Amino acid sequence: MNELDDQPFKELMAGIGEVYSKKISGELLATYWNVLKAYDFEEVSRAANAHMMNPESGQFLPKPADFMRYLEGDSDSRALVAWSKVEKTISGVGAYDSIVFDDALIMRVISEMGGWIDLCSMQSDELPFKRNEFVKRYRGYLLNPPQEHPKKLIGRLEADNAGQFPESVPEPILIGNSQLALEVYNTGSKQITQTKTISQVLESMAGLEHLNS
C-alpha cells in the first residue's frame, strides 16, 4: 500500500471496527498499517472479508496475524509451495547451472541441506525425506528469519571451473520473480555458516585420515 491507500485503509478498518463494535484507535491503526503496508490494498481488503466470513475466527476482530494468515497462508502451505518451486527447478534447470531463487529462505534452507548440487543428486526414494526436511527447516525460518543467506546456490559448472577457469563460470539463473531474485542475490553473503549432520562430519574426518595415511 502507499499514500493513496491511506484513506481507503482507514475506512476499511473503521468499517471492521463497526462490525465488531470496536473503536480502532490511531495507535492501533498505525500498527495494522505497519504490518500490512507491504501488500496491495485490494489484497488486504479481500483478507479482511475472508476473515469476517469465517464462521469460527470471524466472530472476533481480526488481529494482524489473522490478516497474514489469509495473505500468506499458514506455514505448512507456504513451505510446500516453496518446495514445489524447488522441485520444478530441479527438473527444469538441474544441477549444472548456479541459481538464485526469489525467496531468501529457500536459499538458506538448501544451503543447509548440503547445497544445490547435493539436492539435485538425490534419488527418487530420498524425495519424501528431503521434502520433509525442507518443509521443517523452512517453517522454522518463517518463525525466526535467518540473519543471512547465500548469494547463489552453486551448480556443477561453477564448482568445476571457479578455481582454474573463472572466466568460464556462467552467471546464475534467476528463478521466479527476477527482480526479487536479484534482490536476494545483492543482499546475500558469499559464505554463510553451514550446519552439518553427524554423518557429514564423520565423513569429512574419514577423508582427512585417508589423506594423512
Side-chain angles (χ1 to χ4, degrees):
M1 295 187 289
N2 53 45
E3 293 181 359
L4 296 177
D5 299 312
D6 180 66
Q7 187 58 35
F9 181 72
K10 288 180 179 177
E11 294 173 359
L12 172 67
M13 294 304 301
I16 292 174
E18 289 186 12
V19 170
Y20 294 97
S21 301
K22 300 285 186 180
K23 183 178 180 180
I24 308 296
S25 66
E27 292 79 6
L28 184 57
L29 183 66
T31 299
Y32 279 92
W33 174 268
N34 287 331
V35 172
L36 303 173
K37 64 183 179 181
Y39 301 90
D40 292 336
F41 174 75
E42 291 76 14
E43 294 178 320
V44 173
S45 180
R46 285 196 296 268
N49 290 331
H51 173 85
M52 290 187 289
M53 292 174 64
N54 188 302
E56 295 181 2
S57 60
Q59 300 178 54
F60 307 98
L61 178 74
K63 298 179 180 179
D66 294 314
F67 279 93
M68 295 302 298
R69 188 174 298 111
Y70 290 102
L71 288 166
E72 294 286 354
D74 60 35
S75 59
D76 284 329
S77 298
R78 293 179 65 185
L80 288 171
V81 168
W83 173 254
S84 177
K85 182 181 294 185
V86 171
E87 271 197 294
K88 290 178 181 178
T89 307
I90 290 174
S91 60
V93 177
Y96 285 92
D97 289 294
S98 297
I99 60 172
V100 183
F101 283 97
D102 59 359
D103 182 342
L105 297 189
I106 293 180
M107 303 289 288
R108 178 66 187 234
V109 170
I110 291 178
S111 71
E112 292 188 350
M113 291 176 64
W116 183 240
I117 298 173
D118 184 74
L119 187 62
C120 289
S121 301
M122 66 178 169
Q123 302 299 313
S124 57
D125 58 344
E126 296 179 277
L127 180 60
F129 303 101
K130 292 291 186 180
R131 179 181 63 243
N132 290 341
E133 180 183 357
F134 179 93
V135 168
K136 288 180 180 179
R137 288 180 182 270
Y138 192 95
R139 287 175 55 198
Y141 278 138
L142 284 174
L143 297 175
N144 297 290
Q147 297 297 313
E148 54 184 357
H149 62 271
K151 293 177 68 69
K152 55 185 174 181
L153 297 173
I154 304 299
R156 290 189 184 279
L157 291 175
E158 182 167 354
D160 293 341
N161 296 312
Q164 294 182 319
F165 309 103
E167 70 280 358
S168 299
V169 174
E171 292 185 343
I173 295 177
L174 304 180
I175 306 298
N177 184 302
S178 58
Q179 290 185 336
L180 292 178
L182 186 60
E183 182 179 349
V184 169
Y185 178 82
N186 289 333
T187 58
S189 303
K190 291 184 177 180
Q191 293 182 341
I192 65 170
T193 303
Q194 299 282 351
T195 60
K196 295 185 177 180
T197 63
I198 293 176
S199 60
Q200 288 173 328
V201 173
L202 292 176
E203 287 175 4
S204 299
M205 292 173 64
L208 290 174
E209 290 177 358
H210 176 72
L211 292 174
N212 295 329
S213 61

